[in-house]
Amino acid sequence: MATDAVAQLADSLAKTQVTEGELSYKGQGRKFDNAQSVEEMVKEIQEFKGLQALRLEGNTYGVEAAQAIAKALETKSEFKYCYWSDMFTGRLRSEIPPALNSLGAALMTAGARLTVLDLSDNAFGPDGVKGIEKLLKSTACHTLQELRLNNCGMGIGGGKILAAALTECYKQSSAQGTPLGLKVFIAGRNRLENDGATALAQAFQLMGSLEEVHVPQNGINHPGVTALATAMQHNPQLRVLNLNDNTFTKKGAIAMAQALKHLRSVQVINFGDCLVRSEGAIAIAEAVTEGLPILKELNLSFGEITGVAALLVAQSVEGKATLEKLDLNGNCLGEEGCDALREVMDGLNMGDLLGSLSDDEGEPEEEEDDEEDDEEEEEEDDYEEDDDVEEEDSSVNQVSSPPSVPRPPDASSFLCFPSPDKLLKLGTKRALFFEQQVDVDDAGKTAEAFLKISSVYNEEDEDVKSAVLDSIDAILRKAFASPSFQGYNFVSSLLVMLGLLKSEDKVKPVRVVPGHLQALEYVVRQDYFPQDHIAVLEAFMSRHIQALESCSSARNILKSTLEQVRPEN
């Protein structure tokens, strides 16, 4: 008799309330096909006074069973929590929408005000989203705080339906003076892709209340990532951002880094297996350095990040008192890079916060020397091409037409084929000409113009030296003064064009000349140059890079200056 009592008590605890107002049938592994199979459950629901939460997960329910449960919920006006994940295993997909429709209709009839709706692990596809569409648009969801739809196979179509429903819910609730304040959104493994993610991003931007966003493994590329990044800027209370196993590449990573600069409450960033690459990692490192004061976790694992970029990420977490873990495993650091990373973290007294590096992919293979030599020769040809063109034009003029007055030099001509003589012939208004010619809103074009102008720098010729520095001053002062100018993108582009950083865009690097580094040494001492970029440049100037060997003196001077102007921590 005592044994039976214990068994009954255990059974009762398994089925009934675990917390106040909760009735649970979680994880019983039972199959409910029809109304008769859920008679006992229906009775318990009906008799449960003040029911707030119902756990149905871990069982499987047919349409008739769901309809019977729904009927019992029609009087539960205090109902708030739907824990209904993994409840359609083995069911036909066609069974799921009517089952969800009946449950949703019951909640609307009851006048329930939901806080949590969890339908994860149900694999119901776009049709399943249609099954909850009316519920999401209704007053029952005006109070919704957590929406969990992990591993539901929604696809692009389902993502768009969901986004439209959330948008409608927000608009209707706002019209009633109580706007939807969704805090947690979970939709990993749903094949949302770019279009689905972009549609949801618009809804997220409208709501502006999100604290946690989890959308891992959704096949999202940089257009979708960029849309989500824009939306996140409008959610100032965001604490957790998980986009693991999507594909950022440089464009997506830079957009996300820009978004992080607007957020102060972020505690967990999971961009693991997102292919952020070195350029993206540098941008993210800069965002971490500038803000994120309560960051706890930063995951940039398996992102094809190389050694120097990883060191900059490590340096960016200095002073983050709340940091608990930095994950840079599975990148391309090599043995020396891993050791250097550990040394940096140890130096910051954060060595125990660095995750394992056991899956490091090793340093990326360097390009063949022959290819580099070919690129240098091609670059030399580019610089000499202008003289050849001018000579050809001159010979053609002699044959075909009388001599004409030479066309006055202009900034565009100089930028196509730079030469000291052309720069001087631009006269005293050269700085203004360059300001008008160079699109300073484009960080890449600004970096390219800097390299073209600085390539003719001559320490021995005061006129040319002054002309170069005046022109560079005008362009960069204007660029860094622009609110839309992305300084980290400028520095990243500069490093790529100098051949110091590999880019996914396969940019052909220029042949580095002393003037590039001498002009840069001048720039980093100017008040308009952000100090946040100093560490990035210093890290690259400290490396043994073949492209800089011919400019060792200029490099050493630049390196020394960077050490002097580096901000004190």
Side-chain angles (χ1 to χ4, degrees):
M1 189 73 177
T3 303
D4 291 340
V6 171
Q8 290 173 358
L9 177 61
D11 184 59
S12 178
L13 289 173
K15 292 188 296 183
T16 57
Q17 57 190 36
V18 177
T19 59
E20 184 179 357
E22 179 179 287
L23 185 60
S24 178
Y25 300 90
K26 180 180 178 180
Q28 295 182 9
R30 299 172 65 183
K31 186 177 181 181
F32 301 102
D33 293 326
N34 49 44
Q36 184 178 0
S37 65
V38 292
E39 281 182 353
E40 183 182 350
M41 185 186 300
V42 167
K43 183 180 179 183
E44 290 175 340
I45 293 172
Q46 290 172 335
E47 294 177 352
F48 197 113
K49 295 182 179 180
L51 181 65
Q52 295 184 27
L54 178 62
R55 290 189 173 274
L56 298 177
E57 66 264 49
N59 302 291
T60 178
Y61 303 84
V63 176
E64 289 185 16
Q67 289 172 340
I69 295 170
K71 187 68 176 175
L73 289 172
E74 288 182 353
T75 59
K76 304 301 177 181
S77 60
E78 299 177 43
F79 196 77
K80 296 180 180 179
Y81 306 98
C82 303
Y83 297 111
W84 297 347
S85 63
D86 187 23
M87 57 180 283
F88 296 114
T89 301
R91 299 293 172 183
L92 296 175
R93 182 166 288 189
S94 59
E95 293 182 81
I96 300 175
L100 291 174
N101 264 318
S102 60
L103 289 167
L107 297 178
M108 289 185 277
T109 300
R113 293 292 184 268
L114 296 184
T115 300
V116 176
L117 177 58
D118 185 357
L119 289 165
S120 298
D121 301 316
N122 279 312
F124 48 49
D127 290 341
V129 184
K130 292 179 182 178
I132 58 171
E133 185 178 7
K134 290 181 180 179
L135 174 63
L136 289 173
K137 290 180 178 180
S138 74
T139 55
C141 285
H142 286 187
T143 53
L144 193 64
Q145 294 185 15
E146 297 185 19
L147 180 58
R148 302 171 180 266
L149 297 169
N150 200 58
N151 191 30
C152 287
M154 290 188 289
I156 296 172
K160 289 182 175 180
I161 295 169
L162 177 61
L166 289 174
T167 299
E168 182 65 22
C169 182
Y170 178 81
K171 290 180 177 178
Q172 290 188 13
S173 59
S174 296
Q176 295 180 18
T178 54
L180 171 65
L182 190 67
K183 294 181 179 180
V184 177
F185 180 85
I186 301 175
R189 301 181 67 186
N190 270 291
R191 296 179 287 109
L192 294 171
E193 301 182 17
N194 290 330
D195 289 348
T198 299
L200 285 167
Q202 293 171 352
F204 295 163
Q205 182 169 332
L206 189 64
M207 291 186 292
S209 56
L210 288 167
E211 297 180 7
E212 293 187 29
V213 175
H214 302 261
V215 285
Q217 296 184 348
N218 269 293
I220 306 171
N221 298 324
H222 74 81
V225 172
T226 300
L228 288 169
T230 301
M232 293 306 102
Q233 294 184 40
H234 297 269
N235 287 266
Q237 301 305 313
L238 189 70
R239 294 184 294 104
V240 179
L241 184 56
N242 176 9
L243 278 85
N244 188 283
D245 200 10
N246 290 291
T247 306
F248 283 33
T249 62
K250 180 183 73 173
K251 291 180 180 178
I254 288 176
M256 196 58 74
Q258 186 66 21
L260 291 174
K261 290 186 175 184
H262 295 266
L263 302 169
R264 303 286 296 175
S265 300
V266 172
Q267 298 178 15
V268 177
I269 297 172
N270 187 345
F271 297 159
D273 205 13
C274 283
L275 210 63
V276 299
R277 295 194 170 126
S278 294
E279 291 172 276
I282 290 172
I284 292 169
E286 185 165 305
V288 173
T289 300
E290 291 183 9
L292 305 179
I294 56 174
L295 184 66
K296 290 184 177 181
E297 295 183 24
L298 176 59
N299 183 347
L300 295 178
S301 60
F302 299 93
E304 293 190 3
I305 300 169
T306 53
V308 172
L311 293 180
L312 292 171
V313 172
Q315 291 170 355
S316 74
V317 301
E318 182 177 6
K320 306 295 181 187
T322 56
L323 191 74
E324 296 175 359
K325 185 176 182 180
L326 172 62
D327 191 347
L328 287 166
N329 197 19
N331 284 299
C332 305
L333 312 185
E335 186 175 346
E336 292 184 4
C338 288
D339 289 341
L341 180 59
R342 292 188 187 98
E343 287 180 12
V344 169
M345 291 299 287
D346 287 340
L348 299 174
N349 294 319
M350 293 176 145
D352 59 330
L353 305 184
L354 179 64
S356 170
L357 299 175
S358 60
D359 295 317
D360 186 73
E361 298 286 345
E363 289 187 81
E365 294 182 5
E366 294 292 332
E367 295 180 1
E368 295 294 329
D369 292 340
D370 292 342
E371 291 181 8
E372 292 180 358
D373 292 341
D374 290 342
E375 289 175 352
E376 289 182 6
E377 289 174 8
E378 289 174 10
E379 193 64 34
E380 289 174 359
D381 292 342
D382 287 344
Y383 280 113
E384 295 169 0
E385 187 177 338
D386 185 41
D387 294 333
D388 296 338
V389 171
E390 289 180 350
E391 288 176 7
E392 290 174 9
D393 289 345
S394 175
S395 61
V396 170
N397 286 337
Q398 290 175 4
V399 174
S400 60
S401 62
S404 59
V405 178
R407 187 177 63 181
D410 58 66
S412 61
S413 174
F414 170 86
L415 291 172
C416 287
F417 304 106
S419 72
D421 185 55
K422 278 186 178 180
L423 183 64
L424 294 176
K425 285 182 178 179
L426 287 173
T428 57
K429 293 186 177 180
R430 67 178 69 87
L432 177 61
F433 294 155
F434 283 123
E435 281 188 55
Q436 295 171 341
Q437 182 66 34
V438 178
D439 179 8
V440 296
D441 288 329
D442 187 318
K445 290 180 180 177
T446 304
E448 184 179 5
F450 170 84
L451 293 176
K452 291 288 184 70
I453 298 170
S454 62
S455 69
V456 304
Y457 182 96
N458 187 343
E459 188 71 36
E460 305 299 324
D461 189 325
E462 285 297 327
D463 290 339
V464 173
K465 176 181 175 181
S466 178
V468 168
L469 298 183
D470 287 347
S471 302
I472 288 172
D473 249 345
I475 295 172
L476 294 188
R477 192 176 293 277
K478 180 181 178 182
F480 283 109
S482 172
S484 61
F485 186 69
Q486 297 180 338
Y488 56 85
N489 203 359
F490 166 78
V491 173
S492 178
S493 298
L494 203 61
L495 294 170
V496 168
M497 293 175 189
L498 288 171
L500 309 183
L501 178 65
K502 287 190 176 182
S503 171
E504 63 193 49
D505 297 329
K506 297 182 180 179
V507 175
K508 185 178 78 172
V510 302
R511 178 171 60 89
V512 183
V513 297
H516 292 142
L517 307 185
Q518 290 166 326
L520 189 55
E521 190 274 337
Y522 165 81
V523 167
V524 299
R525 290 187 278 111
Q526 305 310 304
D527 58 2
Y528 57 73
F529 191 81
Q531 290 190 323
D532 294 331
H533 303 326
I534 298 297
V536 178
L537 293 173
E538 186 178 3
F540 278 88
M541 289 303 129
S542 300
R543 293 179 66 198
H544 177 73
I545 301 176
Q546 187 175 357
L548 298 178
E549 287 183 356
S550 62
C551 310
S552 58
S553 177
R555 197 238 327 240
N556 290 337
I557 294 172
L558 173 57
K559 183 180 174 183
S560 176
T561 299
L562 289 168
E563 291 173 355
Q564 294 172 23
V565 300
R566 180 176 56 200
E568 295 295 331
N569 294 313

